Amino acid sequence: MNTKRILALGVFDLFHVGHLRYLQYARAQGEQLTVAVAPDAMVLAVKGKLPIIPEIQRLEIIRGLSGVDAAHLQPASTEDTTAAVRWITQWGITLVMPGDGWVGSPRWNRLTPRLAERGIAVRFAPYTAGISTTDLVARIRARGPG
């Protein structure tokens, strides 16, 4: 493959500047950026709660960004390494770029060498300090009604 195809992954709920910076950073690493948006059912299974913004709207937001070449609902969790290797390979990805909050996690410690066997690199994107969806939700709740 001559073209460096980057994969960014996330829930992208309550889209904020941290999401934007992550996707801009990922896009700068290659020629094409594909984004995998976690579907509602996957988020519920992993986090025990649904995203505030439904999956179809989160996907539309990501597809509407100028630096994104393609965006899809993520077909399977990266926790399932066999399935993840399959869909990441099928998408023609050459570099997977999770956020650096995943550095050293069991999931990525298992998945990284499996992807490397297919010639797919993993590099972690820097975290934007001071902003997260969890923080936004907490601030909204703290303000109360009104």
Side-chain angles (χ1 to χ4, degrees):
M1 279 180 214
N2 295 349
T3 303
K4 197 169 193 182
R5 297 188 62 180
I6 311 304
L7 175 65
L9 313 97
V11 176
F12 304 105
D13 199 16
L14 296 180
F15 195 84
H16 54 71
V17 74
H19 295 135
L20 180 64
R21 290 176 184 167
Y22 165 53
L23 294 174
Q24 288 172 330
Y25 180 85
R27 179 65 175 90
Q29 307 309 303
E31 289 82 39
Q32 293 180 354
L33 176 61
T34 298
V35 180
V37 176
D40 293 346
M42 186 182 300
V43 177
L44 180 61
V46 172
K47 296 186 176 193
K49 58 187 176 184
L50 286 169
I52 294 167
I53 308 297
E55 66 188 29
I56 198 70
Q57 292 177 22
R58 292 181 289 114
L59 186 59
E60 185 177 340
I61 290 166
I62 299 302
R63 285 180 173 161
L65 298 172
S66 63
V68 174
D69 297 293
H72 311 282
L73 290 176
Q74 188 173 323
S77 172
T78 52
E79 189 67 39
D80 180 346
T81 55
T82 300
V85 167
R86 184 180 316 113
W87 65 263
I88 291 168
T89 302
Q90 288 171 348
W91 288 6
I93 301 302
T94 58
L95 174 63
V96 180
M97 185 149 291
D100 69 2
W102 291 101
V103 171
S105 69
R107 160 187 321 209
W108 286 97
N109 285 346
R110 286 190 312 274
L111 187 52
T112 299
R114 301 265 326 265
L115 290 169
E117 291 170 1
R118 301 286 183 106
I120 301 168
V122 174
R123 187 179 326 140
F124 296 90
Y127 177 75
T128 300
I131 184 77
S132 72
T133 302
T134 302
D135 293 342
L136 284 176
V137 170
R139 279 192 272 162
I140 291 166
R141 286 189 174 141
R143 288 187 182 163

